[in-house]
Amino acid sequence: MAKRPILTVPDPRLREVSKDVDEVNDETRALMDDMLETMYDAPGIGLAAIQVGVPQRIIVMDLAGKDEEPQPRYFVNPKILNPADEMAPYEEGCLSVPDAFEELDRPATCTVEYLDYDGQPQTLEAEGLLATCIQHEMDHLEGVLFIDHLSRLKRDRILKKLKREAKAREAEAADAPGVA
Ligand code: GNR
Ligand code: NI
């Protein structure tokens, strides 16, 4: 397993639409292992493949608490069925949008159909944080970020700050070539 760098806004790759996985094979599983390690290290509770620059419809997740047994989940080619009309609020963050946290409403429950780590078809009834997180990750597969659901004012404020920080990092790299 290897940790991979997580892309952050305004990296244009985060806007790509990810493609279906043809077959869940050892290469797919190696990617999922890397994604899980990257997610745990961040730390985060979910990660979509495009966040490490791979435009494939793959999500990993672990909602277990600090003192609980790890509970890794893998979703390949996930589809959301019958999202509830009832909405539920949750304060969301995103590893690709560092240091921004905003409350967002999403359908409170949904059903997810997907292939698991072994390529077996599965169906999951999701509610609570699981429902929120799976919808947040599904957005990534479409090139959508949680800030896209906010008001333009809030979104632009967040984007402006992150673009400024990215520029500062670039300038620093140019000043000190070869220094990591
Ligand atoms: O770690 C994460 N926490 C989180 C909190 C509320 C709603 C969604 C998330 S997902 C996020 C990790 C991430 O960016 N996944 O794409
Ligand atoms: Ni995210």
Side-chain angles (χ1 to χ4, degrees):
M1 290 220 280
K3 217 178 68 161
R4 303 194 188 195
I6 296 177
L7 308 184
T8 55
V9 166
D11 194 306
R13 287 172 287 179
L14 290 168
R15 296 311 190 170
E16 284 182 36
V17 177
S18 295
K19 294 204 164 54
D20 267 331
V21 174
D22 290 333
E23 180 203 11
V24 179
N25 53 30
D26 287 348
E27 203 179 319
T28 322
R29 280 183 280 273
L31 170 60
M32 292 195 282
D33 292 346
D34 282 1
M35 287 170 61
L36 200 71
E37 183 176 342
T38 303
M39 184 195 80
Y40 284 143
D41 182 76
I45 58 174
L47 194 74
I50 192 61
Q51 292 181 274
V52 292
V54 180
Q56 295 187 16
R57 303 188 80 85
I58 301 172
I59 291 165
V60 299
M61 207 178 289
D62 192 332
L63 306 183
K66 260 201 178 111
D67 305 319
E68 293 170 359
E69 278 286 296
Q71 207 186 326
R73 299 172 186 269
Y74 309 87
F75 302 88
V76 177
N77 299 344
K79 291 189 178 48
I80 290 198
L81 308 175
N82 51 42
D85 292 331
E86 187 202 347
M87 305 292 275
Y90 202 91
E91 180 159 274
E92 297 198 17
C94 180
L95 294 171
S96 296
V97 189
D99 304 318
F101 301 89
E102 297 284 347
E103 189 170 281
L104 215 75
D105 282 325
R106 295 188 190 266
T109 64
C110 62
T111 305
V112 194
E113 278 186 0
Y114 61 99
L115 303 177
D116 66 15
Y117 194 80
D118 300 309
Q120 296 302 309
Q122 302 287 347
T123 305
L124 177 71
E125 305 294 334
E127 59 172 24
L129 181 55
L130 179 57
T132 294
C133 193
I134 191 97
Q135 292 174 73
H136 172 114
E137 304 307 341
M138 290 294 299
D139 272 356
H140 277 300
L141 305 188
E142 299 300 323
V144 173
L145 301 169
F146 85 98
I147 51 173
D148 298 338
H149 298 288
L150 303 173
S151 70
R152 171 174 293 238
L153 182 72
K154 278 190 180 174
R155 179 173 57 252
D156 286 354
R157 202 184 288 150
I158 292 166
L159 286 175
K160 216 171 161 183
K161 175 168 161 276
L162 289 171
K163 281 180 188 163
R164 199 163 49 224
E165 289 172 358
K167 232 178 169 177
R169 274 198 307 276
E170 263 169 44
E172 203 169 308
D175 272 354
V179 178

